[in-house]
Amino acid sequence: MLLSIKNLHASVQGKEILNGVNLEVNRGEVHAIMGPNGTGKSTLASVIAGREVFEMTSGEILYKGKNLQKLSVEERAREGIFLGFQYPVEIPGVSITNFMRTAVNEIRKYKGLDALSASEFIKMMEEKKKLVEITSNLTNRSVNEGFSGGEKKKNEIFQMAMLEPMLAILDETDSGLDIDALRIVANGVNKLRRPDNAFVVITHYQRLLDYIIPDYVHVLFEGKIVKSGGKELALELEERGYDWIKKEQVE
Amino acid sequence: METTVQQSITLERMVHLFESNRQVLASNDTALLSEIRDKAFILFGKLGFPDTKMEAWRHTDLKDSLERGYDYYLHPLPEEDVQKVFRCNIPHLDTAIIGQLNGWYVSKEVPLMELGNGIIMGSLAEAKKKYPALVDKYYSRATGDTAEVFTAMNTAFAQDGIFIYVPAGVKSTKPVQLINVIHHYENLFLQSRNLIVIGDNASLSLVHCDDSYNQQASFSNIVTEIFLGENAFLDHYKLQNLNNNSTLISTVYFQLEAAANLESHYLSLNGGLLRNNIRVLFNGTHGNADIYGLYLMDRRQHIDNHVFVDHASPDCTSNEIFKGILDENAHGVFNGHVLVRRNSTGTDARQTNKNILLTDTARVNSKPFLEIYNDDVKCSHGSTTGQLDSEALFYLRQRGIGEESARMLLMFAFANEIVGKIAIPQLRQRIEDMVKKRLQGELQICEQCVLHCSTPEQPVEFKIDMSKI
Ligand SMILES: Nc1ncnc2c1ncn2[C@@H]1O[C@H](COP(=O)(O)OP(=O)(O)OP(=O)(O)O)[C@@H](O)[C@H]1O
Ligand SMILES: [Mg+2]
């Protein structure tokens, strides 16, 4: 098992957001997480990534059998956890090239590998750019600065391709994409799928799941996963909304 | 000829010095300059030295700096080894270098160079003798009747400095690098005066370095007047890399005629107490001034940037961006004053000051302000002071970048907005490297020039303690 979350409780500024999340992800699987706004989907992603503002109050997260709680954000990343941000951060003055070179080499160093040479790195960038069909000179620009919504999301997938994570959590990477960009993002994910890695995609739209076929669909509601099923659950949610789930909860 | 040694800088000392040496001070003056000097002396006497009760000096206390003892010379000191002091180079940068040692022009064999294209560069003292009409036309015209004590004192006392004249229509191709080095074995107080005239449709790229050569204390009062003719262009760099015992009061007056364009870059990497008075006057329509500043200060270093932009003519644009990183007990002051006069319609003025404080004890006093007497203007001003962006830090770390590296990247990016504006590629590269080193605590003040020359024995310990950020 790659990721195992048991009875996870987490809060921010004293306010409990997650109250008892259970989730198991095996290598080779794709999981989709859906749910109404503000129910804690992004919070769950941030807690897995180790963001310090969120406090894990109880429960445990095991990744590759190891307890994640003691690992820093960067150590988790170097161990293969990748978070595609719902709102990628603009970092003026840091070029994507410099950013990715630093990231790739710090991860390589962690794994005991030599840093890539400039030419090896450029070759790798070119390959990965093709994979996500980035044609423009995006990579010479500052990270996300002045990018359109769609460009930011494509850039997340590009970074994922560069870092080749074991566990990729994509938080609404499909939001704000046009049909072509959606296909590109989905293709990127599909090309990166391997038997030994896994994806957790957070989305509001079943549309994405036509391209990235999930093995499981979960509904996160008020800080808990309240329903899980196959890909047909996404279709049902699309048709009926969340009201019936809320009712089920009350009963 | 009198030289006073190791005394504090007081009004009495200076009055005495002036009265007993007036002849020497004015020895190269034209009749007009001599008159200007006497008037300035009277003004200086009236104004006296500032204290922190005065608005313009509220956050910059000169008491300790003035009270130290300093030598003051009315003649250049014998130089031991000028070559050693000026072993300065920016790799691959072809510049015309003009050297100043303790405020005096150094190359005595050729005190004034006259280049084929009509450009004149060299000693101001010499220019007063050789081109009296030219000097008379400009000297003290930009300082005007500014009631500013350090300008008045400088006008009363200054004997030498740099003179540059670019005739109308001449586009100077090589950047001119003006290196002002302070080097003395006792504490030194010096004043020098620079006059730079860029004719109509002419252009100049000027790299102006203020450096110190050893750790000896110094007090420099330097005034520079720069005139940009109609449609003239100046790309101006002020690089400051002084030791921690130095006080520098640098006042630059820019006067822009119609459609003149100024790009000015203030890069302050080190110094004890730095005060930059930057004054821009739009004397004609459609002028543009971009003024950028970057300061990286630590320990008890103090930097004060006072920028005054006088939109005295319609349809001019000005843009100020000043950014600073302050560590330990460093203190930053930014005072930006934009004045838009009644008839200056079509004015576009912007001011930004951003600071990152790395410790609880680092401080900033930032006051951008606009004084507008006209409705047809576009103005904006803003000031932020804070820590590094935690969202951005998380983003970088999530990609596997360690916390220290992530902080370094963000600080460098913050600084690089200003460094990136440097138009001379070799200089940009050099400053980029120096900023990186400064941020990593590796910079040696004299490692290699631009900012500075030889003597590696004096370290500049700008070590940012990562745990404190
Ligand atoms: N840093 C924070 N400080 C305070 N409250 C926060 C913080 N981050 C998230 N929250 C709150 O936690 C709750 C869950 O937010 P979260 O972003 O996880 O929701 P979400 O399910 O991702 O919603 P959406 O579908 O809109 O993206 C919200 O009420 C939000 O306001
Ligand atoms: Mg969310």
Side-chain angles (χ1 to χ4, degrees), chain B residues 438-449:
Chain B
R438 183 88 165 100
L439 292 174
Q440 289 164 3
E442 288 174 8
L443 181 70
Q444 302 274 308
I445 191 168
C446 286
E447 186 220 8
Q448 207 182 8
C449 192

Side-chain angles (χ1 to χ4, degrees), chain B residues 414-445:
Chain B
F414 177 83
N416 207 38
E417 185 191 352
I418 303 299
V419 178
K421 308 261 188 212
I422 298 174
I424 305 169
Q426 299 88 335
L427 181 64
R428 184 172 59 240
Q429 187 60 53
R430 187 81 189 104
I431 297 296
E432 205 179 293
D433 289 350
M434 294 198 73
V435 168
K436 280 181 189 161
K437 286 188 176 164
R438 183 88 165 100
L439 292 174
Q440 289 164 3
E442 288 174 8
L443 181 70
Q444 302 274 308
I445 191 168

Side-chain angles (χ1 to χ4, degrees), chain A residues 12-13 15-18 34-46 51 53-54 86-87 171-172 202-204 220, chain B residues 391:
Chain A
V12 59
Q13 292 167 355
K15 176 177 144 199
E16 181 154 85
I17 311 285
L18 300 179
M34 304 183 81
N37 293 128
T39 51
K41 301 181 297 297
S42 296
T43 301
L44 175 62
S46 292
R51 182 151 200 193
V53 289
F54 296 97
Q86 182 174 1
Y87 306 108
D171 191 356
E172 297 199 26
I202 297 170
T203 182
H204 286 295
L220 189 73
Chain B
E391 296 272 334

Side-chain angles (χ1 to χ4, degrees), chain A residues 98-166:
Chain A
N98 192 18
F99 170 39
M100 278 295 107
R101 185 161 44 219
T102 311
V104 166
N105 284 334
E106 289 215 14
I107 292 171
R108 289 179 67 89
K109 191 169 153 200
Y110 181 79
K111 292 180 176 161
L113 301 169
D114 286 339
L116 289 183
S117 71
S119 64
E120 287 168 327
F121 177 77
I122 287 167
K123 201 168 142 245
M124 177 180 175
M125 284 243 302
E126 290 308 314
E127 277 167 23
K128 306 297 181 178
K129 268 163 83 173
K130 272 190 214 124
L131 187 82
V132 287
E133 300 179 36
I134 293 182
T135 44
S136 67
N137 234 344
L138 228 49
T139 44
N140 289 338
R141 287 170 51 185
S142 289
V143 178
N144 296 320
E145 192 187 24
F147 284 23
S148 74
E151 283 170 339
K152 282 182 182 166
K153 297 299 171 80
K154 270 206 277 195
N155 187 28
E156 294 293 290
I157 300 300
F158 166 71
Q159 292 174 40
M160 179 174 78
M162 290 293 291
L163 303 177
E164 299 181 326
M166 259 325 138

Side-chain angles (χ1 to χ4, degrees), chain A residues 74 77-78 83 106 156 159, chain B residues 395 397-400 402 405:
Chain A
E74 53 269 37
R78 292 167 189 166
L83 173 58
E106 289 215 14
E156 294 293 290
Q159 292 174 40
Chain B
Y395 191 76
R397 294 173 66 203
Q398 208 299 306
R399 299 311 187 232
S405 305

